[in-house]
Amino acid sequence: MDTLILSGNKAIELGAQIIKSGGIVAFPTETVYGLGACAYDSDAIAAVFAAKGRPMDNPLIVHLASGKDILSVSCGYDERYRPLIDKFMPGPLTLVVKKRADIPDCVTAGLDTVGVRIPSHAVAREFIESCAVPIAAPSANLSTKISPTSARHVYEDMNGRVPLIIDGGDCDVGIESTVLDITGDIPVILRPGAVTAEQIADVLGSVKTHEGKIVAAAPAPGMKYKHYAPVCDCVVASSISSAVEEYCRRVDEGGNPVILCKSEHIGICGDIHTIGLGSDDNEICRNIYAAMHAAEKSYDCIICEDLGDSGLLGSVMNRVNKSAGGKII
Ligand code: AMP
Ligand code: MG
């Protein structure tokens, strides 16, 4: 077999014709060059494995022209992953999803899942669109050889094994796609690639890496630093009466505590050290840090009354809880 290297519309037209008649074609993508066949045609898939000398237990990735085509090969995916598709597809991300029954087992190495990817490379997209079927493809190198990032690389391995190499220039990304399994409870990176664990975590909140580590989203600014905390001990009391109990316990132990509370609760506390934070929410919010500054200078423990978990006071308590390191009595 002679191997043609062509570019432009002629290459795409001929490529689509070959695919439609059950053949295989090498084509460019932004990651590496692929060796494609119709994903529904098990004979054509067998030819891909034969041309590469690839073991049958190594699944292929199914390449699609657009996001809506995911349903043409899979049973769908959890909607919580849609932001990932919006952000990284088209691009160097392969999603492993539940396969549809009409995708032959040889594409997926017998797995009930299928890897799907939408290349961003314009030539790849035009080629897949012209074929009008999903294109299953591994990298267009001989098995165990280095992946090809130019038509020339493909030719070196595949001359005489494939009728056509569509030349789309050098690959921009240059390594294979990130493979992300989204079929389980936790998304897992099966193969690291150009889309990083951190980028995925930023979209999903967290992701498990191929090494089994959990990567969490970069925290909102400020969260990764230890939050302001008073130099003295600090606890949150779930009610004003428990604040007074804690106060008495600490005094009995020789401590010098203070209660921070709503101003109207000062009277309930009796003749003990208190700092009133104010009466309305805005006032309490305005006063909280000043009260903590004052308290840490004169006392060895701040006991802050729980002010609630919603609205402005919820935000105030977010800061107080951080200062208390989550200690609630
Ligand atoms: P290649 O890009 O040539 O290495 O071939 C595709 C690669 O995608 C495979 O080697 C697997 O790492 C991965 N892959 C494709 N489909 C699946 C799947 N259903 N489950 C897990 N990994 C897959
Ligand atoms: Mg490969």
Side-chain angles (χ1 to χ4, degrees):
M1 173 198 301
D2 285 334
T3 297
L4 284 174
I5 304 181
L6 295 175
S7 58
N9 287 343
K10 224 173 112 200
I12 289 169
E13 274 166 33
L14 179 59
Q17 207 180 309
I18 293 171
I19 294 291
K20 284 173 184 167
S21 57
I24 62 174
V25 173
F27 65 101
T29 82
E30 73 280 16
T31 59
V32 301
Y33 273 70
L35 185 61
C38 169
Y40 300 124
D41 181 342
S42 41
D43 290 340
I45 301 298
V48 169
F49 279 92
K52 273 186 66 89
R54 183 178 177 102
M56 296 299 291
D57 62 357
N58 196 356
L60 310 185
I61 291 168
V62 176
H63 294 71
L64 307 169
S66 90
K68 63 178 167 28
D69 296 336
I70 294 177
L71 292 178
S72 66
V73 297
S74 85
C75 312
Y77 50 86
D78 194 311
E79 270 303 307
R80 75 185 143 124
Y81 295 114
R82 181 170 290 281
L84 205 60
I85 293 167
D86 293 343
K87 175 119 195 199
F88 298 116
M89 298 174 94
L93 177 67
T94 295
L95 292 181
V96 171
V97 290
K98 287 275 175 225
K99 92 174 182 77
R100 232 171 67 164
D102 50 356
I103 295 296
D105 284 345
C106 57
V107 170
T108 63
L111 299 167
D112 64 354
T113 55
V114 59
V116 293
R117 184 165 103 76
I118 305 164
S120 61
H121 196 295
V123 175
R125 304 272 295 282
E126 273 175 52
F127 169 60
I128 298 164
E129 264 166 29
S130 304
C131 294
V133 285
I135 299 294
S139 51
N141 53 290
L142 287 175
S143 186
T144 76
K145 297 285 176 60
I146 300 163
S147 293
T149 57
S150 70
R152 168 61 41 190
H153 294 158
V154 179
Y155 188 79
E156 282 162 10
D157 270 15
M158 290 294 157
N159 181 21
R161 294 172 171 264
V162 58
L164 173 66
I165 300 167
I166 300 175
D167 188 349
D170 294 345
C171 302
D172 266 356
V173 172
I175 61 165
E176 295 85 349
S177 58
T178 303
V179 178
L180 181 72
D181 184 346
I182 58 166
T183 60
D185 287 344
I186 305 171
V188 183
I189 294 175
L190 303 180
R191 175 173 78 181
V195 177
T196 64
E198 287 72 20
Q199 286 176 299
I200 294 169
D202 277 347
V203 174
L204 297 182
S206 67
V207 67
K208 198 185 244 185
T209 68
H210 66 295
E211 296 154 321
K213 283 191 295 200
I214 302 283
V215 173
M223 284 179 66
K224 64 185 168 189
Y225 304 106
K226 193 177 184 307
H227 197 266
Y228 166 84
V231 288
C232 68
D233 208 1
C234 182
V235 296
V236 172
S238 52
S239 66
I240 192 66
S241 56
S242 66
V244 174
E245 276 169 34
E246 179 68 8
Y247 181 98
C248 295
R249 197 182 63 74
R250 292 208 176 228
V251 168
D252 285 349
E253 286 173 357
N256 180 29
V258 64
I259 292 176
L260 270 54
C261 58
K262 288 185 175 175
S263 294
E264 62 260 36
H265 288 164
I266 290 175
I268 311 172
C269 293
D271 187 19
I272 61 177
H273 296 298
T274 54
I275 298 177
L277 294 169
S279 298
D280 70 68
D281 294 5
N282 290 323
E283 193 184 3
I284 291 170
C285 191
R286 195 180 314 120
N287 288 337
I288 186 70
Y289 281 141
M292 289 167 90
H293 278 296
E296 71 177 1
K297 289 193 182 83
S298 306
Y299 303 96
D300 63 10
C301 177
I302 294 169
I303 303 165
C304 185
E305 171 191 16
D306 190 357
L307 302 164
D309 58 6
S310 60
L312 192 56
L313 293 186
S315 303
V316 170
M317 287 312 294
N318 167 270
R319 308 302 184 271
V320 176
N321 280 318
K322 278 187 177 137
S323 299
K327 268 178 288 167
I328 301 175
I329 44 125

